[in-house]
Amino acid sequence: MAAKIARVGVMGGTFDPIHFGHLVTAEGARCEFGLDQVLFLPSGQPPHKDLKEVTPANHRYMMTVLATLTNPYFEVSRIDIDRRGISYTIDSLKCLRQEYGAGTELFFITGADAVFEIMTWKDSKKLLEIAHFIAATRPGFSLEDLPAETRAWIAKHRERFYVLQIPAMAISSTNIRQRVRDGHSIRYLVPQQVDYYIRRHWLYRRERTPI
Ligand code: ATP
Ligand code: MG
């Protein structure tokens, strides 16, 4: 029988593209919370983003696979991509709860900026019943700066909500897309294979001109 996976981290994101900020956060959470596995969940249709502006899911999935290949604790799931319609975290977590069974603890990993959004997410209360939450620090976003209402919400759910300090990584996918568009290097911001993939498929460029 396969070994039971008791503690699973879930790293949701658009990953357009995946970058070292995501990877450092996932690895930091794994080590700090003794996770047996971190599952990356590239979103299908993200609820907070305009579909027109998001790269097709298969490209984002492929880049996520390439970026996580060398870490034996990292896995990538297609559940959000293969499910039709908008990707709501609550639906993903319900699926994972079923897949892993009641004996597995789920830890949803998110950057500090996304915490603010959680309250606007569908069924945010139910989310905390299904999973623990790990909010990773992210340069430019401080939990202290969150509105009083959000901070009160965090305080109320303290036993399921943790803050994770990670080495500052002021990297964002938005900035990477902009750099590619402007013809600037993204080396050392994303894994090398992701850089190759972006070039090979001409992602984030207005036209097919050589870099
Ligand atoms: P975009 O600029 O397109 O929004 P992003 O860099 O924020 O991209 P997402 O795919 O939106 O990346 O983020 C997925 C998750 O990773 C979110 O919870 C986000 O807060 C977190 N995250 C992204 N970048 C960092 C970073 N540099 N440090 C810590 N957490 C991060
Ligand atoms: Mg984001």
Side-chain angles (χ1 to χ4, degrees):
M1 207 171 97
K4 193 166 158 336
I5 301 175
R7 291 163 78 84
V8 174
V10 180
M11 179 92 197
T14 317
F15 304 130
D16 193 13
I18 188 162
H19 54 68
F20 281 124
H22 299 129
L23 295 164
V24 164
T25 301
E27 181 68 356
R30 181 184 79 74
C31 298
E32 189 73 23
F33 293 87
L35 307 178
D36 301 298
Q37 184 185 72
V38 177
L39 202 57
F40 286 73
L41 238 57
S43 59
Q45 183 180 338
H48 300 284
K49 296 188 182 179
D50 187 344
L51 191 58
K52 284 198 298 295
E53 287 162 17
V54 177
T55 304
N58 263 332
H59 281 317
R60 294 184 287 107
Y61 172 75
M62 284 304 296
M63 290 190 280
T64 308
V65 170
L66 289 172
T68 52
L69 261 183
T70 53
N71 189 326
Y73 296 99
F74 288 179
E75 294 282 341
V76 186
S77 166
R78 289 188 60 95
I79 57 167
D80 273 2
I81 291 175
D82 293 340
R83 203 174 45 230
R84 280 161 189 268
I86 294 177
S87 291
Y88 286 110
T89 304
I90 185 72
D91 300 330
S92 320
L93 289 175
K94 278 182 185 163
C95 268
L96 294 174
R97 166 59 62 228
Q98 271 211 316
E99 198 176 305
Y100 284 93
T104 296
E105 302 256 39
L106 298 173
F107 292 78
F108 192 78
I109 307 163
T110 166
D113 59 312
V115 174
F116 178 59
E117 289 172 13
I118 294 175
M119 283 182 41
T120 67
W121 287 354
K122 205 178 132 196
D123 292 330
S124 60
K125 256 198 228 117
K126 187 101 183 96
L127 279 176
L128 277 166
E129 286 167 22
I130 301 179
H132 301 261
F133 260 77
I134 301 174
T137 54
R138 184 175 184 181
F141 303 93
S142 164
L143 287 175
E144 276 91 67
D145 294 341
L146 290 171
E149 199 192 344
T150 314
R151 277 184 285 128
W153 186 83
I154 292 173
K156 198 168 139 211
H157 299 98
R158 203 174 289 123
E159 72 292 351
R160 305 276 286 176
F161 200 104
Y162 320 100
V163 176
L164 171 69
Q165 301 288 336
I166 55 154
M169 280 256 183
I171 307 177
S172 74
S173 302
T174 302
N175 179 252
I176 289 168
R177 293 193 298 273
Q178 188 61 49
R179 292 184 69 83
V180 175
R181 216 169 286 136
D182 294 344
H184 294 144
S185 166
I186 55 166
R187 193 177 268 180
Y188 311 126
L189 296 175
V190 299
Q192 197 176 36
Q193 293 85 342
V194 173
D195 191 352
Y196 290 162
Y197 190 95
I198 291 171
R199 288 161 192 265
R200 176 165 172 186
H201 294 276
W202 304 86
L203 303 183
Y204 314 125
R205 318 259 305 268
R206 284 196 196 89
E207 51 198 49
R208 285 178 158 245
T209 49
I211 292 178

